[in-house]
Amino acid sequence: MDSVFIADALWHKPRSNYCGGLEPLTVLSSLASGTEHIGLIATASTSYYEPFHLARMFASLDHISGGRVGWNIVVSNSVNEARNFNRSSMLSHQQRYDRAGEFLHVANRLWESWDEDAVIWDRASGHYTDPDRIHLVEHRGEYFTVRGPLNIQRSPQSRPFTVQAGASEAGRSFAARHADAVFTVQENVRDAVRFRTEMRRRAAAHAARSRCCPG
């Protein structure tokens, strides 16, 4: 077994709520203290978290676990979740993925806002960090405005291992572009092979476009 993966939704599901409503990052923080090698993957929604908040939590767990944290990126798909976050309806399907793309861009910049050598531990001067090695983010986009930098040093992995499970066209495109692993359920080997082949093709196409047009 390589990892523990905790699914989650931000509304009450009494028939299938196998974790009893415990928040995934809190659960995995506890598991981190009793394990050494296993990956710890938590679900978190880009529709209802804020990039700074989420980036700080995952960086913290990455430090606590010694670099074993993973993020299952979801955009959420129930109006019941929206109603717990001061909204009467969800964003459209495409808007949720557009927000997720911008969210991940901001989170990555926050995780990278501290250089690897930003912490200097200079006892003579009493300085913990070199401020010149910590950088503002200054992001202004359609969904987020974030100044940065993150208020925690760069974590062992720099960023968490990313997992995505979207099955729609937008979800598969997002996964091919951003995910380190894709979580999927296929009913037979033939469909599983077909899905794997498609995702590898999409990932290769995104990688080629990135090399050609990095901006």
Side-chain angles (χ1 to χ4, degrees):
M1 185 166 64
D2 297 308
S3 63
V4 172
F5 176 101
I6 298 183
D8 191 42
L10 299 172
W11 60 290
H12 188 45
K13 298 189 295 183
R15 287 186 181 273
S16 59
N17 201 353
Y18 66 94
C19 279
L22 294 177
E23 192 279 316
L25 283 164
T26 305
V27 174
L28 294 182
S29 293
S30 178
L31 290 177
S33 67
T35 58
E36 295 180 0
H37 304 294
I38 195 165
L40 305 168
I41 303 173
T43 298
S45 174
T46 57
S47 293
Y48 304 116
Y49 282 93
E50 288 289 324
F52 191 96
H53 188 209
L54 182 142
R56 185 188 187 198
M57 291 191 297
F58 273 94
S60 297
L61 184 54
D62 206 45
H63 280 291
I64 291 169
S65 66
R68 292 184 285 134
V69 69
W71 174 21
N72 176 37
I73 305 169
V74 298
V75 301
S76 297
N77 60 3
S78 170
V79 70
N80 292 313
E81 293 178 284
R83 290 167 179 163
N84 285 331
F85 292 90
N86 200 37
R87 302 177 187 181
S88 59
S89 62
M90 298 185 296
L91 294 173
S92 72
H93 184 266
Q94 187 60 53
Q95 285 175 319
R96 295 199 300 277
Y97 274 102
D98 290 343
R99 177 184 163 103
E102 185 178 336
F103 190 114
L104 191 58
H105 171 74
V106 176
N108 282 328
R109 291 192 61 192
L110 287 166
W111 286 317
E112 295 168 357
S113 61
W114 288 54
D115 292 345
E116 292 183 0
D117 58 354
V119 178
I120 58 175
W121 291 106
D122 189 338
R123 293 187 178 184
S125 66
H127 294 162
Y128 170 59
T129 66
D130 178 351
D132 291 334
R133 303 174 191 176
I134 303 173
H135 313 285
L136 296 177
V137 171
E138 297 288 16
H139 174 84
R140 289 184 176 273
E142 181 178 357
Y143 296 97
F144 305 107
T145 298
V146 180
R147 180 176 185 268
L150 202 59
N151 63 344
I152 181 173
Q153 71 191 75
R154 185 180 287 239
S155 72
Q157 292 186 104
S158 295
R159 65 169 183 85
F161 182 84
T162 53
V163 181
Q164 221 280 325
S168 67
E169 174 63 27
R172 294 183 186 197
S173 179
F174 183 89
R177 182 174 182 180
H178 298 295
D180 296 313
V182 178
F183 178 78
T184 183
V185 177
Q186 307 295 333
E187 296 183 355
N188 55 66
V189 173
R190 182 186 61 187
D191 289 345
V193 170
R194 183 183 296 118
F195 180 82
R196 179 200 63 186
T197 301
E198 178 197 349
M199 292 308 300
R200 287 180 174 177
R201 177 188 60 77
R202 287 175 181 258
H206 276 296
R209 283 196 294 271
S210 297
R211 290 192 298 268
C212 175
C213 309

